[in-house]
Amino acid sequence: MTFEQARACVLREVSAGRGSLATEQIPSLEAAGRILAEEITADRDYPPFPRAARDGFAVRAADVPGELRVIGEVRAGDVFRGSVSAGGAVEIMTGAPLPDGADAVVMVEHIERVGDRVKIDRSIKSGENFNAQGIEAKHGSTILSAGRRLGFAEIALLAMVGRECVTVYRRLRVAILPTGDEIVETGQQPEPFQIRNSNAWSMAVQVARAGGDPQILPIARDNYESTREQIEQGLTHDLLLLSGGVSAGKYDIVERVLADLGAQFFFDRVLVQPGQPLVFGHIGSKDRGKFFFGLPGNPASTMVTFEVFARAAVELLGGATEAPLPLLQARLSKDVQHKTGLTRFLPAQVSADGSTVTPEPWQGSGDVNSLARANAFLVAEPDRESWAAGEMIRVLLK
Ligand code: AMP
Ligand code: MG
């Protein structure tokens, strides 16, 4: 499968195969990054009154240009008890309610004050410089729907309508299963021929960032019994992510174990680099079964394939209605060449202003150092061989 086909496959299968989700109530201020599980409606009109958008004078638009008599003042947090009749004006501050009778606000910069009178030279349209009651949201209308990820503006909306607590989907429990005889736990001193388990940590951070609850399992060894036992353990969670053991080597037995457990495989190879040997499938009945990903073990492959494929599954299975993967464009600062046939995600540096992108030197899929220096990936399309400095190229922010 191509990158696009594989991604479409993940979105399709996961959307079709997700079951009902448990919910929980939490303080809204702690809900950043969580997925809303209820509909939020406006508890009154917003703004709740016609609200001045400028400091100036509340007038009847039909009276200007002209000279008007100032009959009072209204500030934010107060209300003018009278009303504006022909030839009258009320001094008004931003955020204050427009007095009855007025239908526009003349900015203070556009008047000349003489005693208790104001001279206004220019005309104004009815409705200018204030926000009509209910123009932002009508009482009872939906302002947030279930499935929305909560960020700072959404949480401001919860505060605005007085919701101190909110119902969100329970975090998806995601099992992270590292595999490999050469892998040791992070706290251990590796022998010269061993390496520490870094993938479990990068995956845990990526899962948490996608809104999931990462559960790191002990390393499965490259033998049938250990791998099977650990995979069965992993399948008790909501989603299983494996790292390693899915290439074509003699000891890559993950796929065999999954097949023996009755897995349905949607794909086991994708035309991307890093990350070609990538497995995605489902085990068990359609409504109660589990999805799994076998991510290739090379750290860059694990990180990239999580980001472009597995992340969407964590988001959608976690209740989100959308799993965006924005590929932006930036101008290349140097020439880039690659072999056609695969979609490549190459570590890169996007300039601080976002305008240009520079490939980061890297030594291949094991080079975690290069990935840590990078703040983005260049996305090299499979049907094109080269890009010249100055050309636009697609970029995925890290
Ligand atoms: P595999 O996909 O099992 O063939 O592993 C490919 C490469 O990734 C090997 O060089 C492994 O040593 C490395 N690798 C596999 N799992 C991990 C891990 N959990 N942390 C760091 N590197 C790993
Ligand atoms: Mg391995």
Side-chain angles (χ1 to χ4, degrees):
M1 278 194 190
T2 64
F3 162 63
E4 286 81 7
Q5 287 167 339
R7 188 162 159 87
C9 170
V10 171
L11 298 179
R12 184 177 60 241
E13 295 302 335
V14 163
S15 302
R18 55 182 172 174
S20 67
L21 289 166
T23 62
E24 59 183 339
Q25 260 226 341
I26 59 168
S28 300
L29 194 49
E30 289 165 21
R34 302 296 296 271
I35 309 294
L36 187 64
E38 60 171 323
E39 182 188 59
I40 303 291
T41 55
D43 63 322
R44 53 181 184 157
D45 284 343
Y46 286 96
F49 49 82
R51 184 181 59 203
R54 294 274 190 270
D55 294 323
F57 288 82
V59 302
R60 293 152 45 110
D63 288 352
V64 297
E67 198 174 301
L68 306 177
R69 197 162 62 81
V70 180
I71 58 168
E73 175 194 285
V74 61
R75 52 202 284 182
D78 207 349
V79 63
F80 184 73
R81 305 273 167 207
S83 78
V84 178
S85 48
V90 170
E91 189 166 12
I92 192 166
M93 316 303 153
T94 301
L98 193 74
D100 285 348
D103 64 353
V105 173
V106 180
M107 287 163 65
V108 69
E109 294 85 345
H110 296 163
I111 63 107
E112 193 187 323
R113 178 123 195 200
V114 196
D116 70 343
R117 304 187 78 79
V118 278
K119 259 179 69 185
I120 300 161
D121 292 339
R122 56 181 83 194
S123 62
I124 189 165
K125 284 203 233 33
S126 174
E128 261 188 74
N129 295 331
F130 75 93
N131 288 3
Q133 177 172 335
I135 190 94
E136 293 156 10
K138 284 263 180 274
H139 182 190
S141 66
T142 301
I143 52 172
L144 290 172
S145 301
R148 270 286 284 275
R149 185 179 294 279
L150 300 171
F152 58 82
E154 290 81 0
I155 288 175
L157 278 181
L158 295 175
M160 184 180 92
V161 300
R163 291 294 306 270
E164 288 187 284
C165 285
V166 65
T167 306
V168 294
Y169 292 114
R170 189 176 56 73
R171 279 202 174 91
L172 194 75
R173 288 179 66 239
V174 182
I176 293 173
L177 177 49
T179 72
D181 282 343
E182 76 281 32
I183 313 298
V184 301
E185 297 294 3
T186 318
Q188 275 181 280
Q189 185 58 45
E191 298 290 342
F193 47 86
Q194 295 178 321
I195 55 169
R196 291 196 185 91
N197 174 16
S198 62
N199 286 349
W201 284 17
S202 57
M203 290 161 86
V205 172
Q206 289 177 292
V207 164
R209 196 167 79 158
D213 173 15
Q215 308 276 323
I216 300 177
L217 303 184
I219 300 159
R221 298 304 166 191
D222 291 328
N223 63 67
Y224 190 90
E225 294 70 33
S226 169
T227 303
R228 180 160 179 149
E229 191 183 316
Q230 292 286 89
I231 285 181
E232 285 180 340
Q233 184 58 37
L235 288 169
T236 64
H237 298 69
D238 299 326
L239 172 67
L240 170 61
L241 302 179
L242 293 121
S243 111
V246 290
S247 325
K250 192 168 156 195
Y251 298 102
D252 292 321
I253 48 176
V254 164
E255 267 183 279
R256 184 146 60 86
V257 171
L258 288 164
D260 287 354
L261 290 168
Q264 174 189 8
F265 294 94
F266 301 118
F267 55 73
D268 66 358
R269 201 169 94 89
V270 183
L271 298 173
V272 295
Q273 199 204 36
Q276 269 206 72
L278 168 67
V279 176
F280 169 51
H282 186 265
I283 285 191
S285 65
K286 195 157 167 62
D287 52 335
R288 297 251 300 285
K290 304 289 165 65
F291 286 98
F292 60 82
F293 285 87
L295 308 181
N298 262 313
S301 309
T302 316
M303 292 183 214
V304 166
T305 52
F306 179 92
E307 218 43 35
V308 302
F309 299 112
R311 180 184 180 143
V314 176
E315 292 174 335
L316 295 174
L317 293 172
T321 41
E322 288 187 342
L325 186 74
L327 299 182
L328 309 174
Q329 300 249 345
R331 199 170 296 286
L332 268 170
S333 69
K334 339 175 149 161
D335 297 351
V336 168
Q337 264 110 33
H338 87 139
K339 257 199 12 236
T340 57
L342 302 177
T343 302
R344 283 197 171 72
F345 296 86
L346 305 165
Q349 229 9 283
V350 171
S351 61
D353 66 2
S355 63
T356 57
V357 60
T358 308
E360 190 66 42
W362 84 312
Q363 308 305 322
S365 302
D367 191 354
V368 183
N369 203 10
S370 167
L371 275 153
R373 284 193 310 263
N375 62 7
F377 297 96
L378 272 185
V379 186
E381 282 139 40
D383 51 359
R384 187 168 167 183
E385 219 159 23
S386 63
W387 287 259
E391 285 192 279
M392 300 300 278
I393 193 162
R394 289 194 301 171
V395 163
L396 171 66
L397 291 179
K398 198 171 97 186

